[in-house]
Amino acid sequence: MSFFGFGQSAEIAIQLDGSDTRKMAEMKTEDGKKERYYLYYDGESVSGKVNVILKKPGSRLEHQGIKIEFIGLIELYYDRGNHHEFTSLVKELARPGELTQNTAFDFEFNQVEKPYESYSGTNVRLRYFLRVTIVRRLSDIAREMDLLVHTLSSYPEMNNSIKMEVGIEDCLHIEFEYNKSKYHLKDVIVGKIYFLLVRIKIKHMEIAIIKRETTGSGPNTFNENETIAKYEIMDGAPVRGESIPIRVFLAGYDLTPTMRDINKKFSVRYYLNLVLVDEEERRYFKQQEITLWRKGERLRRPIQQQLLAQQQALQQMSLNNQSSKFPQSHPQGITQDYPSEEEVITPKLPSPPTEPPNSIDSPEDEFLEAQAGSLSEEDNLEDDQEPPMKASSGVSQEPVPVAQ
């Protein structure tokens, strides 16, 4: 409601280009709920329209300028007053003046650098958002729209396994091994536990995935541990020489890539925690850090596009075949014998072939003259020896940005 004409007299709506087809992803909010946002990647442009809608038709809105900002910032919950911006871009939509009707403004932030992945944790949040501001003398009118950013990574084929021997002198000696040290977010952890010496009564053994969030620096460092998953991999006392297999699927858990010293404000690391519990409820554990990364999804062309490409290749091949069968000029007085259907070799494709076009590249006069002529013996020999042609269909893959 507007009191004495000082309230908000307009509404702002932000519409992104390609929002109908753009992928969306979920992320936890500060209160623990999950919300869906439009997904972007590093280096991808952000564009769309800003609609300014006047609440009262026929009214006038005076302003000191309209601008849109693309902002990336880090919010530390224990330091609410300070927001640390690492990305800030501004576009001017309109100069000072007045609006007398609903107006739409186009905007584009071309190839925006988004160095970090969006994150919402226990003590920190990293977010990207668009903010539109209508500057006024007394009170500005503003609207924000959050975006979600995923950082894709790639690692070399060489991925060393983790192998370590731990234990208590003269009491327990075990050897554990994990197949890799770096896993993507939908990977499977495969390993084994081998007991070399067992002189204590072990009741059961479990393995857990722990996320450790570190914020601040120096004496103001805060560590927050969260158990993401826990598995019991053994129940009962093991014997010497026994081997226990491990297989943990990561796809079903809410994981993020490993983040190390993000803008010198926070870090997120993951650990595999192996715990042994004896009959006296004493716990023996060993933690091993692993690296998680986000793998880009492989995009495949729909089957309709593949069939269309095959039909286009067949059409072009038929056109080339007709051009080779009908030469541009022939000697006069020589009759032309057209090849029979058995002599014409047509390639076979999974989809039914389309009709070749009726027209060819040669002019109409030369085409009529070619009908009165004939092919020479050398031309017929070349046609018989012509190998069949096959249409090639390539599979294209969209490039994905790679995190630095």
Side-chain angles (χ1 to χ4, degrees):
M1 183 178 294
S2 176
F3 294 96
F4 303 105
F6 296 138
Q8 293 186 358
S9 57
E11 293 181 351
I12 301 173
I14 304 175
Q15 183 179 358
L16 298 174
D17 289 341
S19 57
D20 297 337
T21 58
R22 179 166 294 278
K23 186 177 179 181
M24 302 184 73
E26 291 184 347
M27 190 177 70
K28 287 185 179 180
T29 58
E30 188 177 347
D31 55 1
K33 297 181 181 179
K34 286 187 177 182
E35 291 189 3
R36 295 174 61 84
Y37 304 97
Y38 290 107
L39 181 61
Y40 284 84
Y41 297 97
D42 183 21
E44 193 174 1
S45 300
V46 180
S47 60
K49 289 185 178 182
V50 174
N51 298 314
V52 180
I53 305 170
L54 301 180
K55 291 186 176 180
K56 294 183 179 180
S59 61
R60 300 168 64 182
L61 175 64
E62 296 183 359
H63 61 85
Q64 303 299 317
I66 303 175
K67 63 180 181 180
I68 183 171
E69 302 170 88
F70 180 86
I71 299 175
L73 58 82
I74 298 174
E75 301 176 357
L76 299 174
Y77 294 158
Y78 62 85
D79 189 11
R80 296 278 185 173
N82 296 324
H83 293 166
H84 307 277
E85 293 186 2
F86 56 87
T87 297
S88 181
L89 302 174
V90 183
K91 296 282 187 181
E92 183 180 0
L93 299 179
R95 294 183 178 182
E98 63 178 20
L99 298 178
T100 57
Q101 60 183 356
N102 299 339
T103 310
F105 302 95
D106 295 330
F107 71 91
E108 181 180 8
F109 295 98
N110 190 25
Q111 297 179 352
V112 185
E113 182 182 2
K114 311 175 192 68
Y116 312 121
E117 177 156 331
S118 300
Y119 176 75
S120 179
T122 307
N123 296 320
V124 64
R125 180 170 67 159
L126 189 151
R127 59 188 289 247
Y128 295 86
F129 62 94
L130 294 169
R131 180 167 60 199
V132 180
T133 305
I134 301 177
V135 183
R136 304 180 66 192
R137 292 182 179 179
L138 297 178
S139 62
D140 297 341
I141 303 175
R143 172 70 187 275
E144 293 183 357
M145 181 179 185
D146 281 84
L147 307 176
L148 198 63
V149 172
H150 280 177
T151 301
L152 303 180
S153 305
S154 62
Y155 280 88
E157 295 296 333
M158 186 176 179
N159 195 348
N160 298 327
S161 60
I162 302 173
K163 188 174 183 180
M164 187 177 297
E165 295 183 5
V166 296
I168 306 171
E169 187 177 359
D170 297 332
C171 293
L172 179 66
H173 192 191
I174 63 175
E175 177 183 283
F176 66 87
E177 181 179 0
Y178 303 114
N179 60 336
K180 293 184 292 187
S181 59
K182 301 178 178 67
Y183 300 90
H184 60 81
L185 299 185
K186 296 183 180 180
D187 213 338
V188 181
I189 299 176
V190 179
K192 66 177 181 178
I193 308 294
Y194 186 72
F195 291 88
L196 301 175
L197 177 63
V198 182
R199 290 184 179 176
I200 58 177
K201 296 181 179 180
I202 299 176
K203 186 169 61 174
H204 69 272
M205 181 170 58
E206 62 187 22
I207 188 172
I209 302 175
I210 295 177
K211 182 178 76 172
R212 179 173 298 170
E213 179 185 291
T214 304
T215 55
S217 60
N220 297 324
T221 301
F222 299 91
N223 291 321
E224 191 73 27
N225 294 333
E226 180 184 355
T227 301
I228 303 297
K230 183 183 292 186
Y231 288 94
E232 184 178 278
I233 58 177
M234 187 193 69
D235 186 13
V239 296
R240 180 180 179 181
E242 188 172 358
S243 179
I244 307 297
I246 297 175
R247 186 176 294 270
V248 180
F249 295 85
L250 301 179
Y253 299 102
D254 187 13
L255 301 172
T256 65
T258 298
M259 304 179 182
R260 292 186 174 91
D261 199 19
I262 300 299
N263 202 35
K264 298 182 179 180
K265 294 295 183 295
F266 74 97
S267 300
V268 179
R269 291 180 168 89
Y270 290 88
Y271 297 86
L272 288 177
N273 191 32
L274 183 66
V275 180
L276 285 80
V277 182
D278 63 9
E279 293 183 350
E280 298 179 1
E281 297 299 328
R282 289 179 295 190
R283 301 172 66 88
Y284 309 90
F285 67 95
K286 177 64 179 178
Q287 285 189 357
Q288 178 64 42
E289 184 178 0
I290 59 174
T291 301
L292 298 183
W293 54 284
R294 188 180 298 280
K295 183 179 181 181
E297 297 181 0
R298 178 174 296 180
L299 300 178
R300 297 182 178 179
R301 291 194 303 176
I303 188 64
Q304 293 83 358
Q305 294 184 6
Q306 296 182 11
L307 293 177
L308 180 60
Q310 292 176 354
Q311 291 177 358
Q312 291 177 352
L314 175 62
Q315 197 173 25
Q316 182 66 29
M317 192 162 43
S318 301
L319 186 63
N320 296 337
N321 193 16
Q322 284 190 4
S323 298
S324 62
K325 298 302 178 184
F326 302 109
Q328 296 293 327
S329 60
H330 299 280
Q332 296 182 359
I334 301 177
T335 60
Q336 178 181 359
D337 296 329
Y338 290 97
S340 62
E341 296 182 356
E342 297 179 354
E343 296 176 351
V344 179
I345 302 175
T346 57
K348 296 183 180 180
L349 293 175
S351 60
T354 58
E355 275 187 42
N358 295 326
S359 61
I360 58 176
D361 294 336
S362 59
E364 183 178 1
D365 296 338
E366 295 180 359
F367 175 70
L368 295 176
E369 183 181 357
Q371 289 182 344
S374 64
L375 291 174
S376 62
E377 294 180 3
E378 294 181 357
D379 293 336
N380 290 329
L381 181 61
E382 290 178 359
D383 293 339
D384 293 338
Q385 294 179 355
E386 182 180 0
M389 301 178 63
K390 296 183 179 179
S392 61
S393 60
V395 179
S396 64
Q397 180 178 357
E398 295 184 8
V400 294
V402 178
Q404 298 178 354

